[in-house]
Amino acid sequence: MKIISMIPARYKASRFLGKLMQDLAGKTVILRTYEATVNTQLFDDVFVVTDSEIIYNEIVNNGGKAIMSKKEHECGSDRIAEAIEFMDDVDIVVNVQGDEPFTEVASLKKLIAVFNDDPLKEIDLASLMVHIHEWEEITNPNTVKVIVDNNNFALYFSRSPIPFPRDKDVAVKYYKHKGVYAFRRQALLDFYRLPMLPLEASEKIECIRYLEYSKKIKMVETDVQGVEIDTPEDLELANKLWK
């Protein structure tokens, strides 16, 4: 299989404008993420896909590979799908979020292994989840939660606590969805061509579209929490961790 990584990078993030160009231990967040992804040595190629000339130039001027989007896009999957539409030799596309510079090898290997263990090609995409414990994080709408069946296929994603703890003494695990995906190329192109439906529009969670169109999402548990840079406070924490 030819496996590539695409890093969607939008400059005008609503919660933290220009966050990908913020300084993280002497380099920008997006450059740190790009370099971390390349350094995993898991991919035949790595690209940043962006709507911003600032981000494009940041990657290219530092020896990386970047693609400018031709259209406006609502989500990262659409941005990647446009970029790979005419890359006929690609089998698997791994979407690494531009605001996750602590991308590490073990979790990505687990994602890729899903497709090596799927000879009938029944799985459309795979994604990561982390067991979370703090009620503050479980109830935080910025934390996307996922519930799965007995085989770790996704049942639903939500910004609300799912499942709702009606009986507090029931032993339930809560999982945070990490925005790292691995797609079969065709599943990603199908996503691009299908219109958004009400559940995705309500939650503003792009992977719900796959569920609404009956795609199969295999969730892979990881112990690596990492740091997603959504706020200035997250960036401060990331700088401390880097040091």
Side-chain angles (χ1 to χ4, degrees), residues 1 3-7 32-46 92-97 100-117 126-129 178-183 218 220-224:
M1 294 188 298
I3 303 171
I4 67 171
S5 177
M6 291 279 191
I7 305 171
R32 287 288 187 195
T33 302
Y34 177 83
E35 290 178 343
T37 306
V38 170
N39 289 340
T40 65
Q41 299 184 339
L42 294 174
F43 305 108
D44 296 296
D45 237 331
V46 179
I92 304 296
V93 182
V94 178
N95 173 352
V96 174
Q97 297 298 323
E100 291 205 16
F102 294 92
T103 298
E104 46 79 42
V105 176
S107 298
L108 292 177
K109 280 185 175 179
K110 288 181 181 180
L111 277 187
I112 293 168
V114 167
F115 300 97
N116 291 326
D117 298 334
S127 194
L128 297 176
M129 63 182 184
K178 286 177 64 66
V180 180
Y181 305 90
F183 309 89
K218 182 77 168 182
V220 177
E221 186 172 356
T222 176
D223 295 328
V224 180

Side-chain angles (χ1 to χ4, degrees), residues 130-148:
V130 180
H131 185 201
I132 54 176
H133 308 270
E134 299 297 327
W135 188 242
E136 183 178 352
E137 185 171 21
I138 292 167
T139 56
N140 186 342
N142 292 327
T143 300
V144 175
K145 276 70 66 176
V146 59
I147 48 174
V148 296

Side-chain angles (χ1 to χ4, degrees), residues 7-231:
I7 305 171
R10 184 170 176 264
Y11 183 80
K12 296 180 180 179
S14 57
R15 281 178 285 174
F16 187 4
L17 182 64
K19 66 181 181 180
L20 298 183
M21 291 299 295
Q22 296 293 319
D23 180 82
L24 176 54
K27 295 183 180 181
T28 59
V29 170
I30 187 60
L31 185 58
R32 287 288 187 195
T33 302
Y34 177 83
E35 290 178 343
T37 306
V38 170
N39 289 340
T40 65
Q41 299 184 339
L42 294 174
F43 305 108
D44 296 296
D45 237 331
V46 179
F47 301 89
V48 169
V49 189
T50 184
D51 60 353
S52 164
E53 289 186 8
I54 296 171
I55 291 175
Y56 178 90
N57 291 333
E58 171 69 3
I59 297 302
V60 171
N61 291 342
N62 283 282
K65 296 183 179 182
I67 298 171
M68 278 292 293
S69 298
K70 297 176 182 177
K71 303 175 184 177
E72 290 291 326
H73 295 291
E74 289 290 327
C75 65
S77 292
D78 282 336
R79 192 176 302 284
I80 292 172
E82 181 204 284
I84 66 145
E85 193 167 10
F86 301 106
M87 295 182 181
D88 296 331
D89 60 338
V90 171
D91 297 295
I92 304 296
V93 182
V94 178
N95 173 352
V96 174
Q97 297 298 323
D99 61 0
E100 291 205 16
F102 294 92
T103 298
E104 46 79 42
V105 176
S107 298
L108 292 177
K109 280 185 175 179
K110 288 181 181 180
L111 277 187
I112 293 168
V114 167
F115 300 97
N116 291 326
D117 298 334
D118 182 34
L120 299 180
K121 297 184 179 181
E122 295 177 322
I123 297 170
D124 296 293
L125 64 151
S127 194
L128 297 176
M129 63 182 184
V130 180
H131 185 201
I132 54 176
H133 308 270
E134 299 297 327
W135 188 242
E136 183 178 352
E137 185 171 21
I138 292 167
T139 56
N140 186 342
N142 292 327
T143 300
V144 175
K145 276 70 66 176
V146 59
I147 48 174
V148 296
D149 67 13
N150 286 337
N151 294 310
N152 277 354
F153 284 100
L155 295 172
Y156 192 62
F157 301 85
S158 182
R159 297 184 182 279
S160 299
I162 51 172
F164 180 79
R166 182 177 176 183
D167 294 323
K168 293 290 180 73
D169 58 342
V170 174
V172 171
K173 282 188 174 182
Y174 287 89
Y175 290 101
K176 173 183 178 179
H177 177 224
K178 286 177 64 66
V180 180
Y181 305 90
F183 309 89
R184 292 198 187 276
R185 177 179 177 274
Q186 190 57 52
L188 187 54
L189 293 178
D190 289 346
F191 177 93
Y192 186 42
R193 294 162 183 161
L194 293 169
M196 184 185 298
L197 294 177
L199 291 177
E200 179 192 358
S202 175
E203 294 263 17
K204 295 294 186 293
I205 301 172
E206 63 189 72
C207 50
I208 290 177
R209 190 183 312 180
Y210 289 96
L211 297 180
E212 290 186 275
Y213 285 103
S214 301
K215 301 289 187 183
K216 297 186 75 172
I217 306 176
K218 182 77 168 182
M219 300 302 300
V220 177
E221 186 172 356
T222 176
D223 295 328
V224 180
Q225 179 73 266
V227 176
E228 300 169 19
I229 300 175
D230 286 324
T231 65

